[in-house]
Amino acid sequence: MYRFKKIYIELSDICGLNCSFCPTPKNTRKIMDVDLFEKACSQSAKLTQIITFHLLGDPCMLKNLREYLNIALSYSLGVDLVTSGVYLHKDQFDILTLPPVHQLSISLNAGFDEKNQARIPANYLKNIFDLCHYKILQDTPSFINLRLQDTSLKILSWLKDAILSEFKIKDDNSCFRFRLGKKVFLNITKTFQWPTLKDASDVKDKYCHGLISQIGILSNGLVVPCCIDARGHIGLGNLKDSNILNIINSPRALKIQEGFIKGEAVEDLCKTCTYPAKRY
């Protein structure tokens, strides 16, 4: 039995985009060096079966992404990878659809955010479609999830139509998940507002997966309670001078965990978070 369902590891906080829905600033922590990543993997492998390349940044920007994936594979870790899809190219199709990659999630809102239009390649959507068709044709074991936020559907209804048309799927306005092919899906996701340290909410039952089923590791080695603390407000310790077990068993970490189990938020950032975490 593993301690966590997944551990989020941020390979970098660099993505090259400026999405209106994403926290800023970015490009401050830079890239996690390979040695630190291997240390994170070696310790994570004792606590989880799945690591997720996410918090901030786009892993597909990294020219040596294969090296990181090979390290994860060497520790028998499955990888969930989140990308904007902007940097996809055909040379990556194999490594993004084969072990250790378990699931690839593509945030389509990033590619069609009005702030990013000057940065989006003309073949953006075609590359994503080509990747999906490649995965279906090769019948690889991984999943691909195309993600579109529900509040953007009025503006991007044409995009949903284009995706369904490409894969010859009939629309159903009551459906929030469409199977485009074997292990390839379009998911209409709930729009989420990133928490800040302002305007604490008044939610009485404040449950979170942080330190219960997940933790996050930022690219500078800082360990945070969950994937939402992308700014590192709740730094519990750093892998550069400690280890995960000591960090997650520190008094501060245990206090946060015990609070969530009782339905209480201990940290100020957690009191502002509206993510609808559900108890498993």
Side-chain angles (χ1 to χ4, degrees):
M1 184 71 176
Y2 288 92
R3 169 76 179 270
F4 298 118
K5 184 176 181 180
K6 61 175 61 177
I7 292 177
Y8 289 79
I9 301 180
E10 177 188 80
L11 296 191
S12 87
D13 64 344
I14 306 167
C15 73
L17 301 180
N18 185 29
C19 300
S20 57
F21 55 83
C22 192
T24 54
K26 296 186 281 288
N27 197 17
T28 59
R29 296 187 287 266
K30 309 298 183 181
I31 299 172
M32 177 181 284
D33 67 63
V34 171
D35 290 340
L36 181 58
F37 176 73
E38 180 153 13
K39 182 178 182 181
C41 284
S42 67
Q43 296 182 23
S44 295
K46 302 170 186 176
L47 300 169
T48 187
Q49 291 179 298
I50 299 287
I51 58 175
T52 299
F53 291 171
H54 187 49
L55 266 98
L56 286 183
D58 193 326
C60 290
M61 284 192 73
L62 300 180
K63 294 181 179 179
N64 62 335
L65 177 59
R66 188 185 294 269
E67 184 176 7
Y68 289 91
L69 290 170
N70 285 340
I71 291 172
L73 185 61
S74 72
Y75 287 96
S76 301
L77 288 164
V79 173
D80 287 354
L81 192 150
V82 182
T83 177
S84 66
V86 170
Y87 306 102
L88 287 179
H89 53 81
K90 286 182 170 55
D91 291 343
Q92 293 177 323
F93 284 7
D94 61 338
I95 67 169
L96 293 177
T97 57
L98 291 170
V101 175
H102 167 259
Q103 177 173 270
L104 176 68
S105 296
I106 302 177
S107 174
L108 296 172
N109 283 86
F112 290 96
D113 193 292
E114 60 182 10
K115 291 186 176 182
N116 295 328
Q117 290 312 296
R119 301 178 175 91
I120 306 304
N123 61 347
Y124 170 69
L125 196 55
K126 183 180 184 302
N127 273 347
I128 292 173
F129 287 163
D130 288 348
L131 172 63
C132 292
H133 287 304
Y134 173 88
K135 183 261 173 297
I136 294 169
L137 183 64
Q138 297 296 321
D139 194 19
T140 61
S142 63
F143 290 82
I144 294 180
N145 289 313
L146 307 184
R147 303 194 312 202
L148 192 58
Q149 294 178 13
D150 57 356
T151 54
S152 66
L153 283 181
K154 289 183 178 179
I155 299 174
L156 296 177
S157 59
W158 67 267
L159 177 56
K160 176 187 173 186
D161 293 342
I163 295 169
L164 296 180
S165 175
E166 174 71 21
F167 294 92
K168 299 178 174 57
I169 305 298
K170 186 178 179 180
D171 194 1
D172 179 353
N173 290 326
S174 65
C175 186
F176 291 90
R177 191 169 192 251
F178 298 87
R179 184 180 184 273
L180 306 178
K182 187 176 180 181
K183 295 187 177 181
V184 178
F185 297 89
L186 168 63
N187 291 315
I188 310 300
T189 61
K190 291 289 185 182
T191 301
F192 170 69
Q193 297 294 325
W194 290 84
T196 68
L197 288 174
K198 300 178 182 179
D199 304 322
S201 66
D202 229 359
V203 179
K204 300 303 181 185
D205 185 15
K206 183 64 88 171
Y207 179 77
C208 180
H209 301 309
L211 287 162
I212 294 176
S213 62
Q214 64 170 258
I215 56 172
I217 305 172
L218 303 181
S219 58
N220 61 2
L222 190 68
V223 177
V224 293
C226 73
C227 61
I228 291 171
D229 189 9
R231 296 181 179 91
H233 287 307
I234 312 175
L236 301 173
N238 199 299
L239 281 189
K240 291 180 179 178
D241 51 33
S242 187
N243 64 71
I244 292 179
L245 279 179
N246 286 342
I247 291 170
I248 63 177
N249 289 312
S250 67
R252 186 182 185 186
L254 293 176
K255 187 175 180 180
I256 294 170
Q257 180 185 0
E258 290 165 3
F260 288 140
I261 291 173
K262 294 187 293 185
E264 300 173 359
V266 172
E267 297 283 339
D268 288 341
L269 182 70
C270 303
K271 294 174 183 177
T272 74
C273 183
T274 58
Y275 186 82
K278 297 179 180 179
R279 299 176 188 270
Y280 293 123

